[in-house]
Amino acid sequence: MPTETRPVSRPVPRQAIALRTRLLAAMLGPLLAVATIVGIGGATLIADVVRRTNDRVLGGALGAIAETVQVERGEVTLDLPPAAFGMLENGERDNVYYRIAVGGELLTGYADLPAPDPETLVTDQPRFRFARYRDQDIRIGEVKRMLPRIDRPVIVQIAETLDNRKALTNRLLGALLLAELALVGMAALLLRPALGWSLRPLARLREAIQSRELSSRPDFSPLDNGPLPRELQPLATAFNQLLAQLDTATGGVRRFTADASHQMRTPLSVLKVQVALARRGSSGALDEIGDAVSRLERLVTQLLALARAEEAGVSAPLEAVDLKEVCSAVISRLINQAIMAGVELDLEADDGVDYGISGHRTLAFEIIANLIDNGIRYNRRGGTVSITLLRRQGETLLTVRDDGPGIPPDKQEAIFERFVRLGGAQGPDGTGLGLAIVRSAAQRMGARVALGDMRVGTAIVIRFPDDAHKRALTI
């Protein structure tokens, strides 16, 4: 019975907020916060200014009335001046109330106006307070006076409703709010073109990167994006470094492919010819085919070893590597080759000494195997390949020496390059990759490769510092 296949749902990548929007929000947010703080402070200040201004007018009216209170013939008299009430007239037509009392006895005015406690008033010092009267909020100004020959205090009060104060406060608050809204609105309108101008270098950088897509072949040259702001320079520098690494990597792949195809062409051509001869019945063709296959196998093996040594990915976890044990393992593998070539293998390492390093056993095996293999191939019959381990403070030294013909001085700089062979076509069979593998593998392990004493034969010295794993991280 056929089973129903369901489409696999892929997670939709989240869309990030545009950089322009983020910057606009980051600028407008603090601006709105400041506007809010200014608005609160402005509202408090407006309320205080309106209160003080109107209290000054109310106090003037209170003083004008209090000045008319006199004592005539033992009686308290007063003459209410019309100007005192005229000062309190306004467009909102606030109601005005007054009360004059001697002690607790009403002299004139509104008897139910909230009276103060005379003990709480200071003589001849006006006091202002809010109160509730006839279902309205009012502001009362009051003063206590002591008159000659009158043992009771005279309390003078004048009050007004708050409509005018509220209207003035609302007008000022409205003007403040409109000013803040206009400021924030203009800032929002001006910030967008300002952000566009500020992000123009980033747009140039983006265009410089996108222009690379139009070229027919990858372009890893540094970006030509003109002068950049200080904040974008690290990004451009990092991107150019990445391009340089990609250029190096792709260049190495192209060079590796070209060299490998060139080197593999010869054994494949020989193999093709020998196969044709074998079809015609040639008796020696099979031996030639076997030799060609062996050379091709060795070439492919060493190419893979070089690729592993030069791999630029994440390194495998470090492990403790005993160089003496690795040398013994390599000698066991190559002993038959050495016997066939008439070469003696000699390992010199002190007993009881720790030759351990922190690295990769596979790479260490490749290094030692290629050095010993070269020592066998380029040695004379009856010669010796000596492997010496030396431990001294701060590093471990591995020296592989043979007593063969050595390396001419003019060739010593080139022997670590790919496909460089000594002796040309008349030299021993080989691919010219052995020392290139040694150098690449040593670099991956943070070790240093150098030529030793070349007066007799060839000597290659590998130095493994105690902090080789740290050096390897920087390669």
Side-chain angles (χ1 to χ4, degrees):
M1 182 177 180
T3 59
E4 180 182 357
T5 59
R6 297 182 179 179
V8 179
S9 60
R10 297 181 179 179
V12 179
R14 293 190 300 174
Q15 191 74 17
I17 301 175
L19 182 59
R20 188 188 301 270
T21 304
R22 292 168 65 95
L23 290 175
L24 187 61
M27 292 181 179
L28 285 180
L31 183 61
L32 290 174
V34 171
T36 302
I37 295 174
V38 171
I40 295 173
T44 304
L45 180 62
I46 287 172
D48 184 67
V49 169
V50 170
R51 179 181 59 80
R52 288 176 180 272
T53 302
N54 284 270
D55 282 354
R56 188 174 294 112
V57 176
L58 188 63
L62 178 65
I65 295 173
E67 288 296 329
T68 65
V69 178
Q70 303 292 332
V71 178
E72 294 181 2
R73 301 175 184 177
E75 296 286 336
V76 177
T77 64
L78 77 156
D79 183 14
L80 292 176
F85 296 97
M87 286 189 292
L88 299 177
E89 291 182 356
N90 54 63
E92 302 300 328
R93 299 184 179 276
D94 280 320
N95 296 327
V96 179
Y97 309 99
Y98 69 95
R99 179 177 179 274
I100 298 97
V102 179
E105 181 183 349
L106 177 68
L107 183 62
T108 184
Y110 294 84
D112 56 347
L113 191 67
D117 182 2
E119 298 298 328
T120 62
L121 293 174
V122 179
T123 303
D124 295 330
Q125 288 191 7
R127 185 181 71 176
F128 301 91
R129 60 188 175 92
F130 290 102
R132 187 78 177 168
Y133 181 61
R134 296 184 179 180
D135 296 329
Q136 288 182 307
D137 292 323
I138 61 173
R139 181 72 167 171
I140 302 176
E142 50 199 10
V143 67
K144 179 174 75 171
R145 295 197 65 189
M146 300 301 296
L147 299 177
R149 300 183 299 277
I150 301 296
D151 58 352
R152 293 177 298 172
V154 177
I155 306 298
V156 180
Q157 291 179 284
I158 187 168
E160 66 175 351
T161 55
L162 305 180
D163 293 341
N164 182 64
R165 296 181 183 228
K166 292 178 180 178
L168 180 58
T169 301
N170 290 336
R171 286 196 298 271
L172 293 176
L173 288 177
L176 176 63
L177 180 61
L178 287 177
E180 289 193 338
L181 290 177
L183 177 63
V184 173
M186 290 179 62
L189 291 176
L190 295 177
L191 277 177
R192 277 204 166 270
L195 287 176
W197 175 80
S198 301
L199 295 176
R200 195 173 299 165
L202 190 59
R204 285 204 313 268
L205 186 63
R206 181 193 62 200
E207 291 171 359
I209 296 173
Q210 289 179 341
S211 64
R212 301 295 177 94
E213 299 177 358
L214 304 178
S215 58
S216 57
R217 56 176 298 177
D219 183 6
F220 298 115
S221 60
L223 292 176
D224 182 14
N225 41 44
L228 288 176
R230 181 174 54 190
E231 293 80 6
L232 289 180
Q233 288 176 1
L235 175 62
T237 301
F239 192 80
N240 284 332
Q241 290 175 349
L242 178 61
L243 288 178
Q245 293 176 357
L246 288 174
D247 189 27
T248 302
T250 55
V253 170
R254 288 194 298 268
R255 185 173 63 254
F256 184 84
T257 304
D259 292 344
S261 61
H262 174 74
Q263 292 296 321
M264 293 178 68
R265 188 178 300 118
T266 299
L268 288 175
S269 299
V270 172
L271 187 60
K272 184 177 180 181
V273 172
Q274 296 303 325
V275 168
L277 292 176
R279 288 176 177 172
R280 297 177 183 178
S282 174
S283 59
L286 293 178
D287 294 335
E288 294 294 336
I289 290 174
D291 292 340
V293 169
S294 298
R295 289 195 298 271
L296 184 60
E297 180 185 13
R298 175 173 173 76
L299 176 62
V300 171
T301 301
Q302 290 207 307
L303 286 173
L304 293 176
L306 182 61
R308 286 196 303 269
E310 293 186 343
E311 183 180 3
V314 178
S315 299
L318 297 175
E319 57 184 338
V321 179
D322 185 352
L323 289 180
K324 184 176 181 181
E325 181 272 329
V326 176
C327 289
S328 300
V330 174
I331 291 174
S332 298
R333 174 174 293 188
L334 299 180
I335 189 65
N336 290 333
Q337 178 184 347
I339 292 174
M340 295 295 294
V343 175
E344 181 181 352
L345 301 181
D346 183 19
L347 174 61
E348 300 177 8
D350 295 334
D351 294 333
V353 177
D354 181 15
Y355 295 105
I357 63 170
S358 181
H360 308 288
R361 190 181 188 282
T362 302
L363 294 181
F365 193 94
E366 292 288 346
I367 291 172
I368 299 171
N370 279 280
L371 290 177
I372 295 178
D373 179 76
N374 276 358
I376 295 173
R377 288 177 178 275
Y378 292 92
N379 209 332
R380 59 183 175 81
R381 194 166 190 85
T384 301
V385 176
S386 60
I387 304 97
T388 305
L389 289 174
L390 177 62
R391 174 66 187 168
R392 62 187 187 187
Q393 186 175 6
E395 63 181 358
T396 302
L397 272 65
L398 167 68
T399 303
V400 178
R401 177 186 299 276
D402 65 65
D403 50 7
I407 303 173
D410 59 335
K411 298 289 187 181
Q412 291 179 3
E413 294 294 331
I415 60 172
F416 292 101
E417 300 297 329
R418 294 186 181 96
F419 304 112
V420 173
R421 294 176 55 196
L422 300 179
Q426 290 76 29
D429 291 338
T431 62
L433 289 172
L435 292 181
I437 294 173
V438 170
R439 183 178 63 178
S440 295
Q443 288 177 347
R444 293 292 295 164
M445 294 181 64
R448 297 188 295 268
V449 184
L451 295 177
D453 185 2
M454 304 292 285
R455 288 178 294 182
V456 178
T458 302
I460 307 294
V461 181
I462 313 292
R463 298 177 181 271
F464 295 93
D466 290 344
D467 60 347
H469 62 287
K470 296 181 181 178
R471 291 169 49 83
L473 296 177
T474 63
I475 295 178

